[in-house]
Amino acid sequence: MDWSDGELDARLTDPHTDQAVALNLINWLSPVVACRTDLGLLPGGYPHPLAVDTTFSGQLDASTASLSAEGDSTDSLIEFRFEFDGTAS
């Protein structure tokens, strides 16, 4: 992780799934039955471990934040990109 003058740049290098300590998770909607989306989705999503090279970056200071996270799950079933922009109130 690098931090300089309000600029954050981080990359996941070890998801720790081999140790069964996968705290780097993303909850994503998943079907109750994988091949039958008509049967509904699991409420609240299903946790997927984040893969190596998932990134988190952006600008952050005392009053504003502009951040993004991008990557995929270790099983390559989920690919994502999230962006957040906010100001302090």
Side-chain angles (χ1 to χ4, degrees):
M1 177 164 65
D2 292 325
W3 173 262
S4 178
D5 293 326
E7 182 77 24
L8 173 67
D9 187 23
R11 182 173 302 276
L12 184 64
T13 58
D14 185 351
H16 296 285
T17 52
D18 292 339
Q19 296 85 11
V21 183
L23 298 178
N24 299 305
L25 301 172
I26 184 170
N27 282 344
W28 203 263
L29 292 177
S30 297
V32 174
V33 178
C35 60
R36 295 285 309 271
T37 56
D38 60 310
L39 296 177
L41 300 171
L42 291 170
Y46 183 79
H48 296 271
L50 300 178
V52 169
D53 290 332
T54 294
T55 61
F56 186 62
S57 61
Q59 293 282 96
L60 185 64
D61 62 32
S63 60
T64 62
S66 181
L67 304 168
S68 67
E70 185 172 4
D72 59 351
S73 60
T74 56
D75 58 11
S76 299
L77 294 177
I78 307 297
E79 187 175 307
F80 66 91
R81 178 175 175 81
F82 296 109
E83 294 191 16
F84 172 83
D85 290 302
T87 57
S89 57

